[in-house]
């Protein structure tokens, strides 16, 4: 196994949240990063649906900013760990198959379900297809539908 390379840690971290941490040998931190970023989608959606309409733009902007900031901070944390452990060789589980398994696991069992929950239970977008709602909405307009209304 080769030593940990900072540029490789950065590339891995940008491919999938926490993958850079797995590459540096910190699998627990990698999983925490993955779950944190995945839970940001439903949490931010819930918050956006429960603020006054006048604050909606600010909450959405803040959510995007925080999610992006968290993603970038985690990528640089992976780089920092790679530099810290530059002489450490890979652990036995650090093989290409483990990275592929992490990406598949992360996407299929963490990221995709979190986004699907937000879409199916909280908020969904629709594109207005026809002129039937003129003059309020024109073809091509996109609307958000709050799916929490009417739930007990």
């Amino acid at each position: 196994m080769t030593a940990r390379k900072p540029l490789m840690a950065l590339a891995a971290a940008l491919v999938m949240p926490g993958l850079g941490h797995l590459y540096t040998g910190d699998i627990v931190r990698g999983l925490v990063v993955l779950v944190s970023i995945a839970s940001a989608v439903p949490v931010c959606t819930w918050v956006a649906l429960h603020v006054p309409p006048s604050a909606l733009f600010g909450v959405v902007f803040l959510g995007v900013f925080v999610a992006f900031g968290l993603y970038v901070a985690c990528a640089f944390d992976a780089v920092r760990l790679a530099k810290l452990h530059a002489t450490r060789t890979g652990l036995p589980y650090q093989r290409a198959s483990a990275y592929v398994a992490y990406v598949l696991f992360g996407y299929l069992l963490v990221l995709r379900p979190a986004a699907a929950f937000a879409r199916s239970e909280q908020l969904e977008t629709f594109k207005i297809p026809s002129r039937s709602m003129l003059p309020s909405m024109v073809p091509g307009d996109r609307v958000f539908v709050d799916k929490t209304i009417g739930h007990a």
Side-chain angles (χ1 to χ4, degrees):
M1 295 278 176
T2 61
R4 305 295 87 190
K5 296 179 175 88
L7 193 56
M8 188 66 115
L10 176 63
L14 294 176
V15 167
M16 170 74 71
L19 186 60
H21 291 88
L22 177 66
Y23 172 76
T24 63
D26 197 342
I27 191 167
V28 173
R29 189 179 294 189
L31 291 172
V32 167
V33 165
L34 177 65
V35 171
S36 298
I37 290 177
S39 63
V41 172
V43 167
C44 289
T45 303
W46 183 86
V47 170
L49 293 174
H50 290 85
V51 297
S54 61
L56 183 61
F57 177 78
V59 169
V60 170
F61 180 78
L62 181 63
V64 169
F65 182 76
V66 167
F68 182 73
L70 181 61
Y71 196 65
V72 169
C74 291
F76 282 109
D77 185 50
V79 170
R80 183 189 63 79
L81 286 174
K83 287 178 181 176
L84 186 66
H85 303 299
T87 58
R88 180 194 296 176
T89 58
L91 299 171
Y93 67 85
Q94 290 176 310
R95 297 195 166 113
S97 58
Y99 301 133
V100 169
Y102 181 89
V103 169
L104 290 174
F105 164 80
Y107 177 72
L108 295 175
L109 299 178
V110 180
L111 295 175
R112 186 175 179 190
F117 171 77
R119 183 175 183 187
S120 68
E121 300 293 326
Q122 296 176 320
L123 187 72
E124 189 169 354
T125 61
F126 292 95
K127 183 177 179 182
I128 305 299
S130 68
R131 300 169 37 103
S132 64
M133 300 179 106
L134 283 174
S136 301
M137 295 180 196
V138 297
D141 279 356
R142 295 188 184 268
V143 294
F144 287 105
V145 175
D146 180 355
K147 291 185 167 185
T148 63
I149 294 176
H151 289 132

